[in-house]
Amino acid sequence: MGPVGVPTGALARIGYISADFGDHPTTDLALATILRQHEHMQVFCYVLNESDGSELWTRLRTALGDRFRTMSSQATDGEWADLIREDGIQTLIHLNGHTAGA
């Protein structure tokens, strides 16, 4: 399966994927950027963690509505890939870094 084309004049589609959406420095640092981009492009968040009930989680979910994508923790990588492809994401940014031994 190849990438999904974007019609001329359509807003760009950018996705952020993370297991740290919620009360975590990743969300805190990314929130302003994500919400600022929301006005100029279609922003999607792919959430790999359960809700922690935090204000940051609620703000993102409210701002993005159905583009704040959550899926069962039992979802496979293939299921996530299918969802991201179906959403027509052009750029996907993984917000989790490798911090083992940091």
Side-chain angles (χ1 to χ4, degrees):
M1 295 182 154
V4 176
V6 177
T8 303
L11 293 175
R13 290 174 166 242
I14 187 168
Y16 293 93
I17 188 167
S18 180
D20 294 324
F21 284 118
D23 189 17
H24 188 277
T26 297
T27 305
D28 194 36
L29 292 170
L31 182 65
T33 300
I34 291 170
L35 295 180
R36 186 172 44 251
Q37 290 176 337
H38 180 66
E39 297 177 13
H40 306 288
M41 58 189 68
Q42 291 186 346
V43 176
F44 292 72
C45 286
Y46 299 95
V47 184
L48 305 177
N49 57 296
E50 301 295 325
S51 172
D52 64 359
S54 69
E55 176 189 351
L56 292 173
W57 173 284
T58 302
R59 285 179 62 198
L60 274 174
R61 184 166 191 97
T62 299
L64 298 179
D66 65 352
R67 292 189 315 267
F68 187 80
R69 306 292 223 147
T70 59
M71 198 180 286
S72 162
S73 61
Q74 303 301 313
T76 66
D77 290 346
E79 290 170 321
W80 277 109
D82 289 344
L83 177 62
I84 291 165
R85 189 176 300 107
E86 289 168 11
D87 285 342
I89 297 301
Q90 297 165 299
T91 303
L92 183 64
I93 300 169
H94 199 303
L95 295 175
N96 293 109
H98 179 71
T99 56

